Amino acid sequence: MKNSYKICIILHGFNNGGVEKFLFNYLSKIKDLNIKFDFVVFESQSELCLNLFKKIANNIFYVTKKKKNFFKYKREMKKITKEGN
């Protein structure tokens, strides 16, 4: 039985930028290696990009920006890491 890995990637949001395109291309090539990807994002500005990442994501979590409400952000991140193992 293969080991499975779970990786949490924190992004500002799903936009049509170069970072998102690079990340999607890279992760889509290695997704068959028994790796699960969880994404934590603050916002999603592009439905097209969001739909692409839904294909490779195990979970997508939306959290409050740190600058907007630090304590809420901290609670949300703690919940995600606790429940997501």
Side-chain angles (χ1 to χ4, degrees):
M1 182 176 185
K2 288 185 177 181
N3 291 337
S4 66
Y5 299 95
K6 197 170 191 181
I7 298 173
C8 181
I9 300 171
I10 301 172
L11 295 171
H12 184 269
F14 293 120
N15 303 307
N16 289 325
V19 172
E20 290 85 356
K21 288 179 184 176
F22 170 81
L23 192 59
F24 175 78
N25 288 334
Y26 182 75
L27 297 179
S28 63
K29 300 236 186 294
I30 65 170
K31 71 176 179 153
D32 297 330
L33 298 176
N34 209 18
I35 301 172
K36 294 181 180 179
F37 299 105
D38 288 345
F39 292 92
V40 176
V41 296
F42 303 108
E43 60 189 28
S44 179
Q45 296 176 343
S46 169
E47 282 295 315
L48 177 64
C49 192
L50 174 63
N51 290 333
L52 286 175
F53 275 92
K54 282 182 179 178
K55 293 178 184 177
I56 60 171
N58 189 44
N59 293 303
I60 297 176
F61 302 101
Y62 291 92
V63 295
T64 304
K65 291 182 182 182
K66 271 194 269 187
K67 290 182 180 181
K68 186 174 182 182
N69 188 335
F70 176 76
F71 296 107
K72 186 174 180 183
Y73 163 81
K74 193 172 177 178
R75 278 193 312 273
E76 292 168 346
M77 289 298 289
K78 187 175 182 178
K79 182 179 177 185
I80 290 169
T81 54
K82 187 176 180 179
E83 291 177 2
N85 295 322

